[in-house]
Amino acid sequence: MASSQGPAQRLFSAGKQLLSSLIAAGETRMRLVVLELEEERARLFTLLLLSGLSLLLMLLGLAMLMLLVVVIFWDTHRLAAITISAAVLLGGGLLLALLVIRLARRHTLLKETLAQLATDRDLVDRDQVESPRDERR
């Protein structure tokens, strides 16, 4: 009974199976991308929360240290102690801001996935360019 199909029907059936396989592979890739994005979002949220708490504790500790320096030099050089403390804090803040700007310009989200897709696209383009030459021979 399987031989009752004509060549056109078998070709159509094979095309449908190929299309079904391609759609399934694409769906699998999309699910992996979504999963990767969800994991990255959770990691980023945890990272931001811990960074914020760390920054708050460091800020309080630095404020206490600056207060200690000012109290130690209160009788002799109070203005110099305040000025030097402020300059150190502002200079450190400026250096860290420049570092943050440099790091923020890097694109890392799905970097490897995009690189792999570019490689796949280049391979397909190269095969398409080489195929007409092979047919002429």
Side-chain angles (χ1 to χ4, degrees):
M1 294 258 168
S3 63
S4 66
Q5 289 183 347
Q9 289 176 338
R10 284 184 280 167
L11 181 64
F12 184 69
S13 176
K16 280 176 56 176
Q17 288 177 348
L18 177 63
L19 183 61
S20 175
S21 296
L22 289 174
I23 289 173
E27 181 183 3
T28 302
R29 296 276 174 133
M30 288 302 296
R31 287 179 189 227
L32 288 173
V33 167
V34 168
L35 181 64
E36 187 177 353
L37 288 173
E38 287 175 353
E39 287 177 353
E40 186 66 23
R41 183 186 63 185
R43 188 186 72 81
L44 185 62
F45 179 73
T46 303
L47 183 66
L48 286 174
L49 182 64
L50 291 176
S51 296
L53 288 174
S54 173
L55 184 64
L56 179 66
L57 291 175
M58 289 177 63
L59 179 67
L60 290 172
L62 192 59
M64 290 295 115
L65 182 63
M66 292 298 126
L67 184 63
L68 177 66
V69 169
V70 170
V71 167
I72 288 173
F73 291 104
W74 188 259
D75 292 332
T76 57
H77 304 292
R78 87 185 95 173
L79 291 179
I82 292 171
T83 304
I84 292 171
S85 297
V88 167
L89 290 174
L90 290 174
L94 181 64
L95 289 175
L96 286 176
L98 292 173
L99 177 66
V100 166
I101 289 170
R102 193 176 92 204
L103 290 175
R105 290 187 179 162
R106 292 186 193 168
H107 299 287
T108 59
L109 184 63
L110 298 176
K111 180 180 177 182
E112 295 300 322
T113 302
L114 293 174
Q116 185 62 45
L117 288 174
T119 303
D120 292 345
R121 185 180 63 240
D122 290 342
L123 289 173
V124 168
D125 290 344
R126 188 174 9 160
D127 287 344
Q128 287 178 352
V129 170
E130 292 176 1
S131 294
R133 292 180 197 158
D134 293 338
E135 291 174 3
R136 287 187 227 156
R137 293 181 190 175

